[in-house]
Amino acid sequence: MNTETEGKMLAEWIAVDWGTSHLRAWVMQGDHPVQALQSDQGMGRLNPAEFEPALLALIDPYLDPEQRTMILCCGMVGAAQGWQDAGYRAVPCPPVVAGQAISVAAGDPRLDVRILPGLKQAEPADVMRGEETQIAGFLADQPGFSGVFCLPGTHSKWVQVANGQVARFTSFMTGEVFALLAGHSVLRHSVGTAEDWDKAQFLAAVGESLTRPETLLGDLFAVRAGMLLHGASAGQGRAQLSGRLLGQELAGAAAYWREQEVVLIGAAALCQHYQLALAEAGAKVRRIDGDALVLAGLTRARHDLTTFFKEG
């Protein structure tokens, strides 16, 4: 393999996290990233024929012209609306089984594209795609871990792991509901920006939702009424809306976090809100960067895939 072309380090393999809004890739030599790449060409912007050109626009300079390079992908690229449907594996199961990655037919002969499947749960019905790779990254470093993960996002995931397997999980649409209410409901007139935020109001709203989750719909309208009648600021409104929704999620996920440590995985700003809310509820929390775990999970999967091919 040529390791360098025109001063650029060529990839031994490429790790890809392809979500709804962004495409992220790491040019890898062994277990070590030599270049991190990103674009806004997420799954939500593309039809199936556009995935390969979007990928090549990002990684082309790092491909060896003399051989195929493995591109190992996780995330929404494997959804029904993605490049190719990678399906789901039923829990209980290990978070990632690399040998079940699907191969994608690519037009460029330099590409050997493989997509990891997501996870599914029959009852209650639920699916995840992408978060399982972060969990695999955590378990690669702590294989004996049994406990609870919370992965905040547009659709946050609460996951119980035992003996190296995902035992069960529950998804909450908290992030999407917040975006819909803040952007497309009457509450849009009462909600400020992310920078305009009131911690005290947030914690008070979390506590109220935890204590009285059944009053959520009335409490949401009170966010608007508070501005009209009492001059509440947009920052207070945003914090109240966020706190009431997140408190509702914690009430619904109580079976996961009560009397157990919660490992929070995700973006720093969002995880900070969850950490504050969980602390308000009396939970013990550990927080870990999600980006590092995606790469660790893909790296572990690549090792397993290489072993699978050798043994096969």
Side-chain angles (χ1 to χ4, degrees):
M1 172 181 178
N2 293 330
T3 58
E4 227 175 294
T5 297
E6 297 180 356
K8 282 191 181 294
M9 179 69 74
L10 297 180
E12 183 177 347
W13 66 286
I14 295 176
V16 172
D17 176 20
W18 208 327
T20 302
S21 57
H22 289 89
L23 161 60
R24 297 182 300 167
W26 293 268
V27 177
M28 303 294 293
Q29 283 290 326
D31 294 348
H32 305 290
V34 296
Q35 185 70 46
L37 309 168
Q38 182 168 319
S39 84
D40 62 357
Q41 296 300 295
M43 180 274 290
R45 289 174 171 257
L46 306 172
N47 64 50
E50 294 173 324
F51 278 85
E52 183 172 339
L55 179 64
L56 286 170
L58 196 63
I59 69 170
D60 187 89
Y62 303 94
L63 296 174
D64 189 331
E66 299 178 3
Q67 67 175 38
R68 298 177 80 203
T69 298
M70 180 184 290
I71 317 296
L72 186 56
C73 308
C74 70
M76 295 304 292
V77 65
Q81 301 79 21
W83 193 347
Q84 185 167 318
D85 189 347
Y88 299 97
R89 296 165 40 248
V91 299
C93 63
V96 169
V97 176
Q100 294 184 13
I102 66 144
S103 182
V104 179
D108 192 306
R110 299 171 297 170
L111 299 179
D112 175 14
V113 180
R114 297 173 187 273
I115 304 177
L116 295 171
L119 300 184
K120 65 181 178 180
Q121 178 176 274
E123 292 295 337
D126 213 332
V127 295
M128 75 166 72
R129 195 179 290 283
E131 295 89 354
E132 74 289 334
T133 307
Q134 293 177 310
I135 294 169
F138 181 94
L139 295 179
D141 184 57
Q142 299 188 44
F145 175 86
S146 290
V148 172
F149 295 96
C150 175
L151 300 101
T154 303
H155 303 146
S156 63
K157 308 289 184 184
W158 289 81
V159 185
Q160 183 81 47
V161 170
N163 302 316
Q165 295 196 327
V166 173
R168 65 186 178 109
F169 62 96
T170 304
S171 302
F172 290 83
M173 292 178 61
T174 309
E176 183 169 2
V177 171
F178 178 89
L180 289 169
L181 291 173
H184 302 283
S185 78
V186 67
L187 297 185
R188 70 186 184 279
H189 304 298
S190 305
V191 175
T193 65
E195 292 75 25
D196 184 19
W197 192 73
D198 188 310
K199 177 181 175 181
Q201 291 286 332
F202 170 76
L203 291 177
V206 168
E208 289 168 7
S209 274
L210 277 167
T211 304
R212 300 181 292 107
E214 71 278 3
T215 66
L216 175 67
L217 295 180
D219 291 341
L220 289 177
F221 191 78
V223 174
R224 176 60 178 159
M227 172 174 275
L228 294 174
L229 300 180
H230 305 306
S233 71
Q236 290 174 322
R238 184 180 188 88
Q240 288 172 8
L241 175 58
S242 176
R244 290 187 188 281
L245 292 176
L246 188 43
Q248 182 82 5
E249 177 179 328
L250 295 189
Y256 285 92
W257 57 262
R258 279 191 179 144
E259 300 181 3
Q260 295 193 76
E261 180 187 47
V262 176
V263 178
L264 272 174
I265 299 174
L270 190 53
C271 280
Q272 183 181 19
H273 288 181
Y274 273 74
Q275 187 170 15
L276 287 170
L278 282 162
E280 181 73 7
K284 183 179 178 182
V285 180
R286 185 175 10 154
R287 203 168 92 189
I288 300 178
D289 174 64
D291 288 351
L293 290 186
V294 171
L295 182 55
L298 286 166
T299 300
R300 175 59 182 269
R302 186 253 181 179
H303 275 286
D304 293 347
L305 200 55
T306 302
T307 302
F308 175 81
F309 287 144
K310 286 180 179 177
E311 293 178 350

